């Protein structure tokens, strides 16, 4: 998950779009973040990877 300013975005692992300020998350943490309305990256679509969408 990426943290910057007041914005958090969930990315799939290994994506260059995540940037240097990103931290790894477990599958459960990433799914919980998406369910809690943290934006999913529109390029790597982690919500789809997690089976949420």
């Amino acid at each position: 998950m990426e943290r910057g300013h007041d914005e958090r975005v969930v990315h799939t692992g290994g994506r260059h779009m995540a940037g240097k300020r990103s931290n790894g998350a477990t599958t459960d943490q990433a799914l919980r973040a998406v369910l809690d309305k943290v934006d999913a990256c529109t390029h790597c679509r982690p919500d789809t990877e997690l089976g949420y969408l």
Side-chain angles (χ1 to χ4, degrees):
M1 289 189 288
E2 178 183 353
R3 286 183 230 160
H5 307 296
D6 289 338
E7 168 178 328
R8 296 182 299 161
V9 179
V10 179
H11 295 276
T12 58
R15 286 285 298 167
H16 69 278
M17 298 288 290
K20 294 181 180 181
R21 293 179 290 179
S22 63
N23 297 317
T26 66
T27 301
D28 287 341
Q29 289 170 325
L31 182 55
R32 187 175 313 274
V34 171
L35 292 172
D36 287 342
K37 305 297 183 212
V38 174
D39 290 333
C41 174
T42 58
H43 297 278
C44 62
R45 301 303 306 188
D47 46 353
T48 303
E49 288 286 323
L50 293 166
Y52 177 69
L53 208 107

mmCIF file of all heavy atoms in Angstrom:
data_model
loop_
_atom_site.group_PDB
_atom_site.id
_atom_site.type_symbol
_atom_site.label_atom_id
_atom_site.label_comp_id
_atom_site.label_asym_id
_atom_site.label_seq_id
_atom_site.Cartn_x
_atom_site.Cartn_y
_atom_site.Cartn_z
ATOM 1 N N MET A 1 0.843 -1.182 0.000
ATOM 2 C CA MET A 1 0.000 0.000 0.000
ATOM 3 C C MET A 1 0.878 1.231 0.000
ATOM 4 O O MET A 1 1.909 1.245 0.636
ATOM 5 C CB MET A 1 -0.897 0.001 1.232
ATOM 6 C CG MET A 1 -1.986 -1.040 1.175
ATOM 7 S SD MET A 1 -3.195 -0.873 2.497
ATOM 8 C CE MET A 1 -2.221 -1.411 3.877
ATOM 9 N N GLU A 2 0.455 2.205 -0.682
ATOM 10 C CA GLU A 2 1.217 3.442 -0.799
ATOM 11 C C GLU A 2 0.636 4.482 0.136
ATOM 12 O O GLU A 2 -0.564 4.633 0.257
ATOM 13 C CB GLU A 2 1.124 3.937 -2.237
ATOM 14 C CG GLU A 2 1.818 5.234 -2.481
ATOM 15 C CD GLU A 2 1.632 5.717 -3.901
ATOM 16 O OE1 GLU A 2 1.090 4.993 -4.733
ATOM 17 O OE2 GLU A 2 2.029 6.858 -4.155
ATOM 18 N N ARG A 3 1.521 5.196 0.833
ATOM 19 C CA ARG A 3 1.084 6.295 1.686
ATOM 20 C C ARG A 3 1.756 7.570 1.238
ATOM 21 O O ARG A 3 2.961 7.644 1.148
ATOM 22 C CB ARG A 3 1.468 6.027 3.135
ATOM 23 C CG ARG A 3 0.627 4.986 3.765
ATOM 24 C CD ARG A 3 1.010 4.834 5.196
ATOM 25 N NE ARG A 3 1.201 3.421 5.412
ATOM 26 C CZ ARG A 3 1.879 2.895 6.378
ATOM 27 N NH1 ARG A 3 2.479 3.665 7.237
ATOM 28 N NH2 ARG A 3 1.979 1.606 6.515
ATOM 29 N N GLY A 4 0.988 8.553 0.957
ATOM 30 C CA GLY A 4 1.527 9.840 0.564
ATOM 31 C C GLY A 4 0.493 10.909 0.836
ATOM 32 O O GLY A 4 -0.668 10.727 0.517
ATOM 33 N N HIS A 5 0.911 11.965 1.438
ATOM 34 C CA HIS A 5 0.003 13.041 1.819
ATOM 35 C C HIS A 5 -1.169 12.443 2.624
ATOM 36 O O HIS A 5 -0.943 11.759 3.596
ATOM 37 C CB HIS A 5 -0.472 13.811 0.589
ATOM 38 C CG HIS A 5 0.651 14.290 -0.274
ATOM 39 N ND1 HIS A 5 1.577 15.197 0.164
ATOM 40 C CD2 HIS A 5 1.005 13.965 -1.528
ATOM 41 C CE1 HIS A 5 2.453 15.423 -0.788
ATOM 42 N NE2 HIS A 5 2.128 14.682 -1.827
ATOM 43 N N ASP A 6 -2.393 12.671 2.218
ATOM 44 C CA ASP A 6 -3.554 12.103 2.893
ATOM 45 C C ASP A 6 -4.160 10.965 2.087
ATOM 46 O O ASP A 6 -5.291 10.581 2.295
ATOM 47 C CB ASP A 6 -4.626 13.188 3.092
ATOM 48 C CG ASP A 6 -4.208 14.192 4.130
ATOM 49 O OD1 ASP A 6 -3.354 13.859 4.964
ATOM 50 O OD2 ASP A 6 -4.731 15.315 4.100
ATOM 51 N N GLU A 7 -3.422 10.433 1.181
ATOM 52 C CA GLU A 7 -3.972 9.503 0.222
ATOM 53 C C GLU A 7 -3.292 8.141 0.350
ATOM 54 O O GLU A 7 -2.093 8.039 0.481
ATOM 55 C CB GLU A 7 -3.715 10.161 -1.140
ATOM 56 C CG GLU A 7 -3.901 9.404 -2.315
ATOM 57 C CD GLU A 7 -3.628 10.270 -3.549
ATOM 58 O OE1 GLU A 7 -3.868 11.484 -3.556
ATOM 59 O OE2 GLU A 7 -3.176 9.673 -4.500
ATOM 60 N N ARG A 8 -4.102 7.075 0.346
ATOM 61 C CA ARG A 8 -3.567 5.716 0.352
ATOM 62 C C ARG A 8 -4.140 4.991 -0.859
ATOM 63 O O ARG A 8 -5.302 5.162 -1.200
ATOM 64 C CB ARG A 8 -3.957 4.959 1.614
ATOM 65 C CG ARG A 8 -3.389 5.565 2.870
ATOM 66 C CD ARG A 8 -3.739 4.773 4.083
ATOM 67 N NE ARG A 8 -5.198 4.746 4.241
ATOM 68 C CZ ARG A 8 -5.835 3.848 4.982
ATOM 69 N NH1 ARG A 8 -5.174 2.929 5.627
ATOM 70 N NH2 ARG A 8 -7.145 3.875 5.077
ATOM 71 N N VAL A 9 -3.305 4.187 -1.491
ATOM 72 C CA VAL A 9 -3.721 3.442 -2.673
ATOM 73 C C VAL A 9 -3.177 2.027 -2.543
ATOM 74 O O VAL A 9 -2.025 1.831 -2.176
ATOM 75 C CB VAL A 9 -3.186 4.091 -3.973
ATOM 76 C CG1 VAL A 9 -3.598 3.288 -5.193
ATOM 77 C CG2 VAL A 9 -3.677 5.521 -4.093
ATOM 78 N N VAL A 10 -3.998 1.032 -2.861
ATOM 79 C CA VAL A 10 -3.568 -0.362 -2.827
ATOM 80 C C VAL A 10 -3.061 -0.742 -4.216
ATOM 81 O O VAL A 10 -3.715 -0.471 -5.218
ATOM 82 C CB VAL A 10 -4.742 -1.287 -2.423
ATOM 83 C CG1 VAL A 10 -4.302 -2.739 -2.408
ATOM 84 C CG2 VAL A 10 -5.299 -0.890 -1.067
ATOM 85 N N HIS A 11 -1.868 -1.353 -4.273
ATOM 86 C CA HIS A 11 -1.264 -1.830 -5.510
ATOM 87 C C HIS A 11 -1.026 -3.332 -5.397
ATOM 88 O O HIS A 11 -0.949 -3.870 -4.293
ATOM 89 C CB HIS A 11 0.096 -1.174 -5.757
ATOM 90 C CG HIS A 11 0.043 0.291 -5.997
ATOM 91 N ND1 HIS A 11 -0.214 0.840 -7.222
ATOM 92 C CD2 HIS A 11 0.231 1.332 -5.152
ATOM 93 C CE1 HIS A 11 -0.181 2.153 -7.137
ATOM 94 N NE2 HIS A 11 0.079 2.481 -5.882
ATOM 95 N N THR A 12 -0.845 -4.006 -6.533
ATOM 96 C CA THR A 12 -0.392 -5.391 -6.502
ATOM 97 C C THR A 12 1.110 -5.385 -6.271
ATOM 98 O O THR A 12 1.784 -4.379 -6.504
ATOM 99 C CB THR A 12 -0.700 -6.127 -7.825
ATOM 100 O OG1 THR A 12 -0.078 -5.430 -8.893
ATOM 101 C CG2 THR A 12 -2.188 -6.242 -8.064
ATOM 102 N N GLY A 13 1.645 -6.480 -5.807
ATOM 103 C CA GLY A 13 3.077 -6.567 -5.533
ATOM 104 C C GLY A 13 3.926 -6.436 -6.784
ATOM 105 O O GLY A 13 3.537 -6.861 -7.864
ATOM 106 N N GLY A 14 5.077 -5.815 -6.648
ATOM 107 C CA GLY A 14 6.024 -5.717 -7.735
ATOM 108 C C GLY A 14 5.731 -4.648 -8.773
ATOM 109 O O GLY A 14 6.408 -4.581 -9.794
ATOM 110 N N ARG A 15 4.768 -3.803 -8.540
ATOM 111 C CA ARG A 15 4.424 -2.763 -9.513
ATOM 112 C C ARG A 15 5.308 -1.538 -9.324
ATOM 113 O O ARG A 15 5.505 -1.078 -8.216
ATOM 114 C CB ARG A 15 2.958 -2.335 -9.365
ATOM 115 C CG ARG A 15 1.971 -3.320 -9.875
ATOM 116 C CD ARG A 15 1.908 -3.343 -11.373
ATOM 117 N NE ARG A 15 1.481 -2.024 -11.831
ATOM 118 C CZ ARG A 15 1.560 -1.630 -13.081
ATOM 119 N NH1 ARG A 15 2.041 -2.408 -13.977
ATOM 120 N NH2 ARG A 15 1.156 -0.428 -13.409
ATOM 121 N N HIS A 16 5.819 -0.976 -10.428
ATOM 122 C CA HIS A 16 6.636 0.235 -10.353
ATOM 123 C C HIS A 16 5.806 1.445 -9.973
ATOM 124 O O HIS A 16 6.316 2.430 -9.479
ATOM 125 C CB HIS A 16 7.349 0.476 -11.686
ATOM 126 C CG HIS A 16 6.431 0.863 -12.803
ATOM 127 N ND1 HIS A 16 5.721 -0.078 -13.519
ATOM 128 C CD2 HIS A 16 6.085 2.073 -13.297
ATOM 129 C CE1 HIS A 16 4.987 0.547 -14.416
ATOM 130 N NE2 HIS A 16 5.178 1.853 -14.309
ATOM 131 N N MET A 17 4.483 1.381 -10.169
ATOM 132 C CA MET A 17 3.605 2.511 -9.847
ATOM 133 C C MET A 17 3.509 2.748 -8.336
ATOM 134 O O MET A 17 3.103 3.811 -7.912
ATOM 135 C CB MET A 17 2.197 2.272 -10.396
ATOM 136 C CG MET A 17 2.110 2.152 -11.896
ATOM 137 S SD MET A 17 2.340 3.711 -12.729
ATOM 138 C CE MET A 17 0.835 4.541 -12.274
ATOM 139 N N ALA A 18 3.856 1.741 -7.537
ATOM 140 C CA ALA A 18 3.727 1.868 -6.096
ATOM 141 C C ALA A 18 4.662 2.932 -5.526
ATOM 142 O O ALA A 18 4.364 3.562 -4.525
ATOM 143 C CB ALA A 18 3.996 0.521 -5.420
ATOM 144 N N GLY A 19 5.779 3.137 -6.150
ATOM 145 C CA GLY A 19 6.705 4.168 -5.692
ATOM 146 C C GLY A 19 7.555 3.721 -4.522
ATOM 147 O O GLY A 19 7.456 2.598 -4.036
ATOM 148 N N LYS A 20 8.393 4.610 -4.049
ATOM 149 C CA LYS A 20 9.339 4.292 -2.973
ATOM 150 C C LYS A 20 8.715 4.390 -1.593
ATOM 151 O O LYS A 20 9.282 3.911 -0.632
ATOM 152 C CB LYS A 20 10.546 5.218 -3.062
ATOM 153 C CG LYS A 20 11.363 5.001 -4.312
ATOM 154 C CD LYS A 20 12.561 5.916 -4.356
ATOM 155 C CE LYS A 20 13.334 5.661 -5.630
ATOM 156 N NZ LYS A 20 14.513 6.490 -5.719
ATOM 157 N N ARG A 21 7.555 5.012 -1.472
ATOM 158 C CA ARG A 21 6.928 5.188 -0.166
ATOM 159 C C ARG A 21 5.919 4.086 0.140
ATOM 160 O O ARG A 21 5.100 4.221 1.031
ATOM 161 C CB ARG A 21 6.248 6.542 -0.070
ATOM 162 C CG ARG A 21 7.230 7.686 -0.097
ATOM 163 C CD ARG A 21 6.501 8.984 -0.013
ATOM 164 N NE ARG A 21 5.794 9.157 -1.285
ATOM 165 C CZ ARG A 21 5.032 10.180 -1.571
ATOM 166 N NH1 ARG A 21 4.840 11.118 -0.695
ATOM 167 N NH2 ARG A 21 4.438 10.287 -2.730
ATOM 168 N N SER A 22 5.975 2.992 -0.586
ATOM 169 C CA SER A 22 4.989 1.934 -0.385
ATOM 170 C C SER A 22 5.519 0.886 0.591
ATOM 171 O O SER A 22 6.724 0.707 0.737
ATOM 172 C CB SER A 22 4.622 1.288 -1.713
ATOM 173 O OG SER A 22 5.750 0.663 -2.270
ATOM 174 N N ASN A 23 4.601 0.234 1.255
ATOM 175 C CA ASN A 23 4.925 -0.843 2.187
ATOM 176 C C ASN A 23 4.191 -2.093 1.749
ATOM 177 O O ASN A 23 3.073 -2.018 1.246
ATOM 178 C CB ASN A 23 4.453 -0.493 3.613
ATOM 179 C CG ASN A 23 5.167 0.722 4.159
ATOM 180 O OD1 ASN A 23 6.365 0.855 4.000
ATOM 181 N ND2 ASN A 23 4.426 1.614 4.771
ATOM 182 N N GLY A 24 4.826 -3.234 1.955
ATOM 183 C CA GLY A 24 4.180 -4.493 1.627
ATOM 184 C C GLY A 24 3.025 -4.767 2.581
ATOM 185 O O GLY A 24 2.992 -4.293 3.707
ATOM 186 N N ALA A 25 2.063 -5.518 2.102
ATOM 187 C CA ALA A 25 0.910 -5.877 2.920
ATOM 188 C C ALA A 25 0.558 -7.330 2.639
ATOM 189 O O ALA A 25 0.818 -7.830 1.542
ATOM 190 C CB ALA A 25 -0.287 -4.986 2.590
ATOM 191 N N THR A 26 -0.027 -7.987 3.599
ATOM 192 C CA THR A 26 -0.503 -9.339 3.378
ATOM 193 C C THR A 26 -1.753 -9.277 2.504
ATOM 194 O O THR A 26 -2.359 -8.211 2.339
ATOM 195 C CB THR A 26 -0.848 -10.047 4.701
ATOM 196 O OG1 THR A 26 -1.974 -9.379 5.291
ATOM 197 C CG2 THR A 26 0.325 -10.049 5.664
ATOM 198 N N THR A 27 -2.148 -10.411 1.976
ATOM 199 C CA THR A 27 -3.372 -10.470 1.181
ATOM 200 C C THR A 27 -4.561 -10.012 2.002
ATOM 201 O O THR A 27 -5.408 -9.248 1.520
ATOM 202 C CB THR A 27 -3.604 -11.900 0.657
ATOM 203 O OG1 THR A 27 -2.476 -12.271 -0.145
ATOM 204 C CG2 THR A 27 -4.864 -12.003 -0.172
ATOM 205 N N ASP A 28 -4.643 -10.456 3.261
ATOM 206 C CA ASP A 28 -5.745 -10.050 4.141
ATOM 207 C C ASP A 28 -5.756 -8.543 4.378
ATOM 208 O O ASP A 28 -6.815 -7.917 4.361
ATOM 209 C CB ASP A 28 -5.685 -10.776 5.481
ATOM 210 C CG ASP A 28 -6.089 -12.238 5.386
ATOM 211 O OD1 ASP A 28 -6.754 -12.608 4.388
ATOM 212 O OD2 ASP A 28 -5.759 -12.994 6.304
ATOM 213 N N GLN A 29 -4.590 -7.954 4.595
ATOM 214 C CA GLN A 29 -4.510 -6.508 4.818
ATOM 215 C C GLN A 29 -4.941 -5.741 3.573
ATOM 216 O O GLN A 29 -5.650 -4.742 3.667
ATOM 217 C CB GLN A 29 -3.086 -6.106 5.202
ATOM 218 C CG GLN A 29 -2.673 -6.540 6.581
ATOM 219 C CD GLN A 29 -1.187 -6.324 6.819
ATOM 220 O OE1 GLN A 29 -0.376 -6.475 5.914
ATOM 221 N NE2 GLN A 29 -0.847 -5.953 8.046
ATOM 222 N N ALA A 30 -4.497 -6.198 2.407
ATOM 223 C CA ALA A 30 -4.860 -5.523 1.162
ATOM 224 C C ALA A 30 -6.360 -5.628 0.908
ATOM 225 O O ALA A 30 -7.012 -4.638 0.542
ATOM 226 C CB ALA A 30 -4.078 -6.119 -0.005
ATOM 227 N N LEU A 31 -6.937 -6.804 1.118
ATOM 228 C CA LEU A 31 -8.373 -6.981 0.909
ATOM 229 C C LEU A 31 -9.168 -6.133 1.894
ATOM 230 O O LEU A 31 -10.130 -5.474 1.520
ATOM 231 C CB LEU A 31 -8.763 -8.448 1.039
ATOM 232 C CG LEU A 31 -10.235 -8.768 0.791
ATOM 233 C CD1 LEU A 31 -10.690 -8.266 -0.568
ATOM 234 C CD2 LEU A 31 -10.484 -10.250 0.925
ATOM 235 N N ARG A 32 -8.735 -6.097 3.138
ATOM 236 C CA ARG A 32 -9.410 -5.271 4.144
ATOM 237 C C ARG A 32 -9.350 -3.797 3.754
ATOM 238 O O ARG A 32 -10.329 -3.065 3.902
ATOM 239 C CB ARG A 32 -8.780 -5.477 5.517
ATOM 240 C CG ARG A 32 -9.534 -4.780 6.630
ATOM 241 C CD ARG A 32 -8.967 -5.104 7.996
ATOM 242 N NE ARG A 32 -8.720 -6.504 8.195
ATOM 243 C CZ ARG A 32 -9.625 -7.392 8.614
ATOM 244 N NH1 ARG A 32 -10.849 -6.995 8.871
ATOM 245 N NH2 ARG A 32 -9.308 -8.651 8.779
ATOM 246 N N ALA A 33 -8.210 -3.349 3.231
ATOM 247 C CA ALA A 33 -8.076 -1.952 2.808
ATOM 248 C C ALA A 33 -9.050 -1.639 1.673
ATOM 249 O O ALA A 33 -9.721 -0.611 1.686
ATOM 250 C CB ALA A 33 -6.641 -1.663 2.372
ATOM 251 N N VAL A 34 -9.148 -2.545 0.699
ATOM 252 C CA VAL A 34 -10.086 -2.332 -0.412
ATOM 253 C C VAL A 34 -11.520 -2.315 0.112
ATOM 254 O O VAL A 34 -12.328 -1.472 -0.284
ATOM 255 C CB VAL A 34 -9.896 -3.406 -1.502
ATOM 256 C CG1 VAL A 34 -10.997 -3.343 -2.544
ATOM 257 C CG2 VAL A 34 -8.532 -3.244 -2.176
ATOM 258 N N LEU A 35 -11.840 -3.214 1.018
ATOM 259 C CA LEU A 35 -13.189 -3.254 1.593
ATOM 260 C C LEU A 35 -13.485 -2.007 2.420
ATOM 261 O O LEU A 35 -14.636 -1.591 2.517
ATOM 262 C CB LEU A 35 -13.369 -4.501 2.449
ATOM 263 C CG LEU A 35 -13.391 -5.827 1.692
ATOM 264 C CD1 LEU A 35 -13.387 -6.998 2.671
ATOM 265 C CD2 LEU A 35 -14.585 -5.911 0.761
ATOM 266 N N ASP A 36 -12.446 -1.413 3.013
ATOM 267 C CA ASP A 36 -12.594 -0.188 3.804
ATOM 268 C C ASP A 36 -12.546 1.065 2.933
ATOM 269 O O ASP A 36 -12.357 2.169 3.416
ATOM 270 C CB ASP A 36 -11.504 -0.099 4.876
ATOM 271 C CG ASP A 36 -11.728 -1.073 6.012
ATOM 272 O OD1 ASP A 36 -12.856 -1.579 6.164
ATOM 273 O OD2 ASP A 36 -10.758 -1.337 6.759
ATOM 274 N N LYS A 37 -12.678 0.877 1.632
ATOM 275 C CA LYS A 37 -12.773 1.978 0.658
ATOM 276 C C LYS A 37 -11.461 2.713 0.407
ATOM 277 O O LYS A 37 -11.467 3.858 -0.031
ATOM 278 C CB LYS A 37 -13.853 2.996 1.053
ATOM 279 C CG LYS A 37 -15.207 2.384 1.270
ATOM 280 C CD LYS A 37 -15.740 1.762 0.009
ATOM 281 C CE LYS A 37 -17.143 1.228 0.246
ATOM 282 N NZ LYS A 37 -17.478 0.086 -0.515
ATOM 283 N N VAL A 38 -10.314 2.047 0.668
ATOM 284 C CA VAL A 38 -9.043 2.611 0.227
ATOM 285 C C VAL A 38 -8.997 2.373 -1.276
ATOM 286 O O VAL A 38 -9.313 1.283 -1.751
ATOM 287 C CB VAL A 38 -7.846 1.916 0.928
ATOM 288 C CG1 VAL A 38 -6.529 2.414 0.359
ATOM 289 C CG2 VAL A 38 -7.899 2.169 2.430
ATOM 290 N N ASP A 39 -8.646 3.392 -2.029
ATOM 291 C CA ASP A 39 -8.648 3.279 -3.484
ATOM 292 C C ASP A 39 -7.708 2.184 -3.971
ATOM 293 O O ASP A 39 -6.602 2.025 -3.457
ATOM 294 C CB ASP A 39 -8.236 4.596 -4.139
ATOM 295 C CG ASP A 39 -9.278 5.684 -3.981
ATOM 296 O OD1 ASP A 39 -10.475 5.345 -3.849
ATOM 297 O OD2 ASP A 39 -8.891 6.865 -3.990
ATOM 298 N N ALA A 40 -8.157 1.436 -4.966
ATOM 299 C CA ALA A 40 -7.318 0.456 -5.645
ATOM 300 C C ALA A 40 -6.688 1.135 -6.853
ATOM 301 O O ALA A 40 -7.330 1.928 -7.527
ATOM 302 C CB ALA A 40 -8.158 -0.735 -6.082
ATOM 303 N N CYS A 41 -5.434 0.835 -7.110
ATOM 304 C CA CYS A 41 -4.746 1.403 -8.269
ATOM 305 C C CYS A 41 -5.523 1.046 -9.535
ATOM 306 O O CYS A 41 -5.891 -0.111 -9.756
ATOM 307 C CB CYS A 41 -3.328 0.846 -8.352
ATOM 308 S SG CYS A 41 -2.445 1.340 -9.844
ATOM 309 N N THR A 42 -5.767 2.037 -10.377
ATOM 310 C CA THR A 42 -6.529 1.802 -11.602
ATOM 311 C C THR A 42 -5.676 1.169 -12.696
ATOM 312 O O THR A 42 -6.206 0.751 -13.720
ATOM 313 C CB THR A 42 -7.137 3.113 -12.129
ATOM 314 O OG1 THR A 42 -6.079 4.054 -12.367
ATOM 315 C CG2 THR A 42 -8.133 3.685 -11.138
ATOM 316 N N HIS A 43 -4.362 1.075 -12.474
ATOM 317 C CA HIS A 43 -3.478 0.462 -13.460
ATOM 318 C C HIS A 43 -3.274 -1.026 -13.188
ATOM 319 O O HIS A 43 -3.389 -1.837 -14.095
ATOM 320 C CB HIS A 43 -2.115 1.165 -13.492
ATOM 321 C CG HIS A 43 -2.203 2.585 -13.916
ATOM 322 N ND1 HIS A 43 -2.278 2.967 -15.233
ATOM 323 C CD2 HIS A 43 -2.249 3.720 -13.195
ATOM 324 C CE1 HIS A 43 -2.362 4.275 -15.302
ATOM 325 N NE2 HIS A 43 -2.345 4.768 -14.079
ATOM 326 N N CYS A 44 -2.979 -1.391 -11.945
ATOM 327 C CA CYS A 44 -2.687 -2.800 -11.645
ATOM 328 C C CYS A 44 -3.890 -3.559 -11.088
ATOM 329 O O CYS A 44 -3.846 -4.773 -10.969
ATOM 330 C CB CYS A 44 -1.485 -2.918 -10.716
ATOM 331 S SG CYS A 44 -1.652 -2.154 -9.085
ATOM 332 N N ARG A 45 -4.975 -2.874 -10.756
ATOM 333 C CA ARG A 45 -6.258 -3.463 -10.344
ATOM 334 C C ARG A 45 -6.131 -4.568 -9.275
ATOM 335 O O ARG A 45 -6.527 -5.688 -9.483
ATOM 336 C CB ARG A 45 -6.987 -4.014 -11.567
ATOM 337 C CG ARG A 45 -7.292 -2.992 -12.647
ATOM 338 C CD ARG A 45 -8.091 -1.836 -12.195
ATOM 339 N NE ARG A 45 -9.316 -2.282 -11.546
ATOM 340 C CZ ARG A 45 -10.285 -1.509 -11.185
ATOM 341 N NH1 ARG A 45 -10.193 -0.228 -11.406
ATOM 342 N NH2 ARG A 45 -11.335 -1.966 -10.583
ATOM 343 N N PRO A 46 -5.603 -4.231 -8.091
ATOM 344 C CA PRO A 46 -5.475 -5.246 -7.047
ATOM 345 C C PRO A 46 -6.818 -5.775 -6.561
ATOM 346 O O PRO A 46 -6.904 -6.906 -6.095
ATOM 347 C CB PRO A 46 -4.726 -4.520 -5.922
ATOM 348 C CG PRO A 46 -5.066 -3.084 -6.138
ATOM 349 C CD PRO A 46 -5.157 -2.925 -7.631
ATOM 350 N N ASP A 47 -7.890 -4.981 -6.695
ATOM 351 C CA ASP A 47 -9.209 -5.462 -6.286
ATOM 352 C C ASP A 47 -9.617 -6.673 -7.122
ATOM 353 O O ASP A 47 -10.188 -7.636 -6.613
ATOM 354 C CB ASP A 47 -10.251 -4.352 -6.366
ATOM 355 C CG ASP A 47 -10.207 -3.548 -7.653
ATOM 356 O OD1 ASP A 47 -9.283 -3.748 -8.476
ATOM 357 O OD2 ASP A 47 -11.096 -2.714 -7.844
ATOM 358 N N THR A 48 -9.284 -6.657 -8.395
ATOM 359 C CA THR A 48 -9.567 -7.793 -9.267
ATOM 360 C C THR A 48 -8.687 -8.978 -8.895
ATOM 361 O O THR A 48 -9.143 -10.115 -8.828
ATOM 362 C CB THR A 48 -9.340 -7.407 -10.749
ATOM 363 O OG1 THR A 48 -10.164 -6.289 -11.046
ATOM 364 C CG2 THR A 48 -9.673 -8.541 -11.680
ATOM 365 N N GLU A 49 -7.391 -8.732 -8.659
ATOM 366 C CA GLU A 49 -6.465 -9.779 -8.249
ATOM 367 C C GLU A 49 -6.907 -10.462 -6.955
ATOM 368 O O GLU A 49 -6.726 -11.659 -6.779
ATOM 369 C CB GLU A 49 -5.054 -9.216 -8.056
ATOM 370 C CG GLU A 49 -4.360 -8.848 -9.334
ATOM 371 C CD GLU A 49 -3.886 -10.050 -10.126
ATOM 372 O OE1 GLU A 49 -3.454 -11.031 -9.520
ATOM 373 O OE2 GLU A 49 -3.983 -9.986 -11.362
ATOM 374 N N LEU A 50 -7.520 -9.697 -6.067
ATOM 375 C CA LEU A 50 -7.971 -10.226 -4.779
ATOM 376 C C LEU A 50 -9.331 -10.900 -4.880
ATOM 377 O O LEU A 50 -9.825 -11.460 -3.916
ATOM 378 C CB LEU A 50 -8.036 -9.093 -3.748
ATOM 379 C CG LEU A 50 -6.691 -8.490 -3.345
ATOM 380 C CD1 LEU A 50 -6.912 -7.178 -2.596
ATOM 381 C CD2 LEU A 50 -5.910 -9.470 -2.499
ATOM 382 N N GLY A 51 -9.938 -10.831 -6.055
ATOM 383 C CA GLY A 51 -11.240 -11.459 -6.249
ATOM 384 C C GLY A 51 -12.389 -10.642 -5.713
ATOM 385 O O GLY A 51 -13.492 -11.146 -5.541
ATOM 386 N N TYR A 52 -12.173 -9.356 -5.462
ATOM 387 C CA TYR A 52 -13.199 -8.497 -4.912
ATOM 388 C C TYR A 52 -14.131 -7.973 -5.994
ATOM 389 O O TYR A 52 -15.297 -7.742 -5.758
ATOM 390 C CB TYR A 52 -12.563 -7.326 -4.157
ATOM 391 C CG TYR A 52 -13.567 -6.346 -3.606
ATOM 392 C CD1 TYR A 52 -14.417 -6.697 -2.559
ATOM 393 C CD2 TYR A 52 -13.679 -5.069 -4.132
ATOM 394 C CE1 TYR A 52 -15.346 -5.793 -2.057
ATOM 395 C CE2 TYR A 52 -14.599 -4.169 -3.635
ATOM 396 C CZ TYR A 52 -15.427 -4.535 -2.601
ATOM 397 O OH TYR A 52 -16.344 -3.650 -2.112
ATOM 398 N N LEU A 53 -13.619 -7.783 -7.180
ATOM 399 C CA LEU A 53 -14.430 -7.194 -8.247
ATOM 400 C C LEU A 53 -14.714 -8.190 -9.332
ATOM 401 O O LEU A 53 -13.965 -8.996 -9.690
ATOM 402 C CB LEU A 53 -13.685 -5.988 -8.821
ATOM 403 C CG LEU A 53 -14.627 -4.951 -9.398
ATOM 404 C CD1 LEU A 53 -14.667 -3.762 -8.476
ATOM 405 C CD2 LEU A 53 -14.161 -4.546 -10.750
#
